[in-house]
């Protein structure tokens, strides 16, 4: 078991190691769409790459999510075959959001350094596909709001 300080230090080391091992400027929050952001997630049980819909207005989230849902066939066939759409995703904070994501299928824990490399490689494979999809369909996505 790790203390809170040890856990915090490991999380910081994980993200620093990822940034140093795979330096790259990611799209993430720079979509120019409020509340529409790509994210890397990692905790003690799972890792994933996701697209979160957290606009302050729920109608905007619904419209954006529906716009991406209309692209589901294209996204699955051309970019992310294992993508999951969830319109009622529970965050650890208890907040519910809409999320499109790809989970890392291997055993992972941010507390286990032996699992980091595989996760980093997963991030490097999946996030560029998410970004490519966004750049290809950015105008279409923006039509939602």
């Amino acid at each position: 078991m790790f203390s809170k300080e040890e856990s915090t230090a490991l999380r910081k080391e994980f993200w620093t190691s990822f940034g140093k091992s795979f330096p790259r400027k990611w799209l993430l929050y720079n979509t120019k769409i409020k509340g529409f952001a790509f994210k890397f997630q990692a905790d003690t049980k799972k890792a994933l790459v996701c697209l979160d819909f957290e606009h302050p207005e729920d109608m905007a989230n619904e419209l954006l999510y529906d716009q991406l849902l209309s692209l589901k066939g294209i996204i699955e066939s051309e970019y992310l075959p294992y993508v999951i759409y969830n319109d009622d995703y529970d965050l650890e904070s208890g907040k519910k959001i809409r999320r499109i994501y790809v989970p890392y299928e291997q055993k992972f824990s941010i507390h286990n350094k032996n699992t980091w490399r595989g996760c980093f490689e997963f991030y490097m494979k999946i996030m560029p596909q998410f970004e490519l999809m966004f750049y290809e369909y950015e105008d279409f996505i923006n039509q939602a709001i």
Side-chain angles (χ1 to χ4, degrees):
M1 197 68 169
F2 293 92
S3 71
K4 187 174 182 178
E5 293 80 17
E6 290 170 324
S7 182
T8 299
L10 273 172
R11 287 178 189 281
K12 183 177 179 182
E13 184 180 348
F14 174 83
W15 293 112
T16 302
S17 295
F18 176 56
K20 286 181 178 178
S21 299
F22 300 95
R24 184 179 185 282
K25 181 155 175 61
W26 300 100
L27 176 63
L28 302 178
Y29 293 91
N30 298 321
T31 62
K32 298 183 179 88
I33 302 172
K34 188 173 189 175
F36 184 90
F38 294 94
K39 298 179 181 177
F40 295 106
Q41 295 283 304
D43 61 30
T44 57
K45 296 181 181 152
K46 67 186 176 314
L48 47 103
V49 176
C50 53
L51 171 58
D52 287 355
F53 303 79
E54 296 184 88
H55 194 283
E57 296 175 28
D58 196 51
M59 182 56 80
N61 288 323
E62 186 175 339
L63 291 170
L64 286 164
Y65 184 80
D66 287 347
Q67 199 77 331
L68 269 290
L69 197 56
S70 74
L71 295 172
K72 185 176 183 179
I74 294 169
I75 292 170
E76 288 178 337
S77 66
E78 296 182 23
Y79 303 97
L80 301 161
Y82 305 107
V83 69
I84 297 170
Y85 283 70
N86 189 332
D87 65 354
D88 195 30
Y89 190 93
D90 292 314
L91 298 176
E92 287 183 17
S93 67
K95 181 180 178 181
K96 290 188 179 287
I97 64 167
R98 288 173 175 84
R99 173 177 273 181
I100 298 172
Y101 65 100
V102 177
Y104 179 53
E105 296 294 339
Q106 304 301 313
K107 187 173 172 107
F108 174 80
S109 173
I110 202 164
H111 289 163
N112 181 350
K113 291 182 182 184
N114 293 328
T115 65
W116 290 7
R117 183 71 181 183
C119 181
F120 295 164
E121 291 170 359
F122 163 76
Y123 285 165
M124 290 301 297
K125 177 182 175 189
I126 300 300
M127 185 60 84
Q129 290 300 110
F130 257 122
E131 291 176 329
L132 182 59
M133 177 277 302
F134 176 76
Y135 289 129
E136 292 283 328
Y137 292 95
E138 184 175 5
D139 291 340
F140 179 75
I141 294 166
N142 275 305
Q143 290 175 6
I145 53 173

